[in-house]
Amino acid sequence: MVSPVISITYEARPRDRPIRAIWIRAATGNPRRGWMTAEGLIVPVALGRGGIRANKREGDGGTPRGTFRPRRLWWRQDRHPRPRTFLPLRSIRPEDAWCEDPASRHYNRPVRRNRDGGGDRLRRDDHLYDFIVEIDHNTSPRIAQRGSAVFLHLARENFAPTAGCVAMTKSAMLRLLRRLGPATKIIVE
């Protein structure tokens, strides 16, 4: 006797693939706070002390307006297990930093921190950089003075403004990471 052939078609559930876009908007009446929305996810965020700016400049404290893509997730492997994400991952090492010097050929790129310091240290004592989503702001081409080290990262307890990044709670970050992929659009309006 021949067994009947059973065909099973697997249809990917929405949570099994990256989301297409997330939107970040300033809150009404407070340009330093905002909301991030994405396919059913709505979370409060801290924005730069300069609010959202169309003409981002180095040191202005503004969160750049535009459409960006996430490039990679950096995380503190010594503090947290490997998070679920569609993004490429890199654990943060003690010597990791980000170049914020517009005169440097490494401007707005990760660098290896030397004894003299230099760069924004990625391995911090506080927990703000336990998870960093590197985005493609001012990367291709990199233009001096147009802003560097703009990330998605963890917020301070009181949601104090950032230097230009978008910050959120750890629980919101972990929920977002599960759905974030390299093709996801990050739209800051």
Side-chain angles (χ1 to χ4, degrees):
M1 176 166 205
V2 177
S3 301
V5 176
I6 299 173
S7 175
I8 299 174
T9 304
Y10 175 76
E11 186 174 325
R13 295 175 308 183
R15 297 194 187 284
D16 293 338
R17 62 182 179 272
I19 54 178
R20 291 188 177 142
I22 64 173
W23 287 264
I24 298 165
R25 296 177 179 99
T28 303
N30 187 350
R32 297 174 179 173
R33 297 281 303 268
W35 294 97
M36 180 183 67
T37 59
E39 291 184 12
L41 178 68
I42 301 172
V43 297
V45 293
L47 301 172
R49 68 181 181 279
I52 295 175
R53 294 184 175 228
N55 190 19
K56 170 76 179 146
R57 305 295 294 169
E58 188 69 41
D60 66 3
T63 299
R65 180 182 312 273
T67 300
F68 309 102
R69 303 266 184 190
R71 299 182 80 177
R72 154 175 47 186
L73 171 67
W74 299 71
W75 103 100
R76 288 289 300 266
Q77 184 176 13
D78 60 319
R79 291 181 175 171
H80 306 281
R82 181 185 179 114
R84 285 183 46 209
T85 187
F86 293 99
L87 293 174
L89 285 111
R90 170 142 179 219
S91 63
I92 299 172
R93 300 178 306 232
E95 65 274 9
D96 286 331
W98 203 267
C99 182
E100 296 177 312
D101 178 2
S104 171
R105 66 185 177 97
H106 301 292
Y107 179 61
N108 198 28
R109 286 191 179 161
V111 292
R112 190 178 189 123
R113 190 173 168 93
N114 59 28
R115 285 184 225 156
D116 301 332
D120 183 11
R121 180 185 299 272
L122 298 185
R123 191 170 184 132
R124 297 170 56 131
D125 292 333
D126 63 20
H127 292 272
L128 298 183
Y129 282 7
D130 280 9
F131 299 95
I132 304 169
V133 176
E134 174 188 342
I135 67 172
D136 67 354
H137 169 262
N138 194 23
T139 58
S140 185
R142 285 177 300 124
I143 301 170
Q145 298 293 339
R146 296 302 294 189
S148 63
V150 177
F151 307 127
L152 305 182
H153 64 72
L154 300 183
R156 291 178 175 85
E157 283 186 34
N158 61 359
F159 274 85
T162 68
C165 298
V166 176
M168 65 198 74
T169 64
K170 179 183 169 186
S171 63
M173 175 67 79
L174 291 174
R175 286 190 346 238
L176 176 65
L177 289 176
R178 285 192 288 269
R179 302 292 313 283
L180 206 56
T184 303
K185 291 180 184 177
I186 300 169
I187 304 163
V188 182
E189 299 180 319

